Amino acid sequence: GAGVSQSPSNKVTEKGKDVELRCDPISGHTALYWYRQSLGQGLEFLIYFQGNSAPDKSGLPSDRFSAERTGGSVSTLTIQRTQQEDSAVYLCASSLEEQISADQHFGDGTRLSIL
Amino acid sequence: AQSVTQLGSHVSVSEGALVLLRCNYSSSVPPYLFWYVQYPNQGLQLLLKYTSAATLVKGINGFEAEFKKSETSFHLTKPSAHMRDAAEYFCAVSDRGYSTLTFGKGTMLLVSP
């Protein structure tokens, strides 16, 4: 079956521009997560959705970062006024439920490069 | 907050040799622990997880890990390495009451012929 789909797979943009990253979770998965993977910081949690609500957004690094989820499905992560330190791979994951032992299924990520 | 430490950013083995990737955690309560593998330009794939049932956990691709509370460890092993095992491996712990994961820095496994 279809896995977690992320688009675009690669994005190159100039410093100061806004970018939108999209995540399509596995159908029926109620929980959705965004992570950031960078050379210096490793894998970092950004935000967690349960349905359309975000009970935990504590990992968003600044107010330039925001995310939303609609229809309990697709999620977009928006970065405004991008900075070079935003360059990273942004990974999305989904799970069938929010239980602590639920398996998270990851997409292949969006590689974001800020020039 | 819980945390995970992976000892060794790179581990090199020969094909057919034992694989041992180390992971130690800190937690004030029994954690849920996970091992993920990441192949180049791909997302993470779950290898195995510990959820307080059996302390020896068997996963995919011949990997297993043992939860040792006394050592606060969850090391990943495989008896015989294959070339296709070359990848980056991440240990992770669940905290915050949800299934949000806190990851270690990762260990790159290099397998030579």
Side-chain angles (χ1 to χ4, degrees):
Chain A
V4 176
S5 177
Q6 291 188 246
S7 61
S9 55
N10 286 281
K11 177 71 175 179
V12 180
T13 192
E14 294 180 346
K15 176 182 172 181
K17 300 286 189 183
D18 296 352
V19 296
E20 275 193 1
L21 312 179
R22 176 187 170 104
C23 173
D24 281 276
I26 293 173
S27 178
H29 280 197
T30 58
L32 185 146
Y33 311 81
W34 284 98
Y35 296 88
R36 179 168 71 173
Q37 185 174 24
S38 57
L39 281 176
Q41 301 298 323
L43 270 160
E44 305 171 279
F45 163 76
L46 296 178
I47 187 168
Y48 154 70
F49 285 94
Q50 177 56 32
N52 293 334
S53 301
D56 188 349
K57 53 179 76 172
S58 62
L60 295 177
S62 75
D63 59 8
R64 295 186 297 105
F65 287 73
S66 63
E68 65 175 10
R69 189 180 184 195
T70 56
S73 181
V74 172
S75 175
T76 55
L77 176 69
T78 301
I79 309 173
Q80 295 178 310
R81 304 181 303 281
T82 52
Q83 303 293 315
Q84 288 187 333
E85 62 263 28
D86 299 335
S87 295
V89 176
Y90 289 83
L91 292 166
C92 176
S94 69
S95 64
L96 189 57
E97 51 199 14
E98 76 279 13
Q99 289 180 0
I100 198 168
S101 60
D103 292 357
Q104 293 189 24
H105 299 262
F106 283 78
D108 288 343
T110 293
R111 184 175 299 277
L112 178 63
S113 300
I114 309 299
L115 301 178
Chain B
Q2 297 178 333
S3 66
V4 167
T5 301
Q6 291 184 242
L7 297 177
S9 59
H10 291 79
V11 170
S12 296
V13 300
S14 299
E15 193 171 21
L18 171 72
V19 175
L20 171 61
L21 304 180
R22 300 177 185 274
C23 173
N24 289 87
Y25 68 91
S26 67
S27 173
S28 58
V29 297
Y32 285 14
L33 293 158
F34 305 77
W35 275 101
Y36 281 84
V37 61
Q38 186 178 33
Y39 299 99
N41 299 314
Q42 294 186 22
L44 280 70
Q45 180 183 7
L46 180 66
L47 279 176
L48 51 80
K49 64 181 179 182
Y50 167 76
T51 58
S52 74
T55 57
L56 181 62
V57 181
K58 294 187 183 298
I60 62 172
N61 302 340
F63 284 94
E64 64 181 37
E66 186 173 8
F67 173 72
K68 292 187 177 180
K69 184 178 178 181
S70 61
E71 299 178 5
T72 61
S73 69
F74 190 58
H75 301 332
L76 182 70
T77 61
K78 182 174 180 178
S80 177
H82 292 273
M83 296 295 290
R84 62 178 177 266
D85 295 326
E88 191 160 19
Y89 292 79
F90 292 91
C91 184
V93 62
S94 282
D95 61 5
R96 296 196 178 96
Y98 300 113
S99 50
T100 304
L101 297 170
T102 298
F103 288 90
K105 295 293 187 182
T107 297
M108 185 68 72
L109 176 65
L110 307 170
V111 183
S112 56

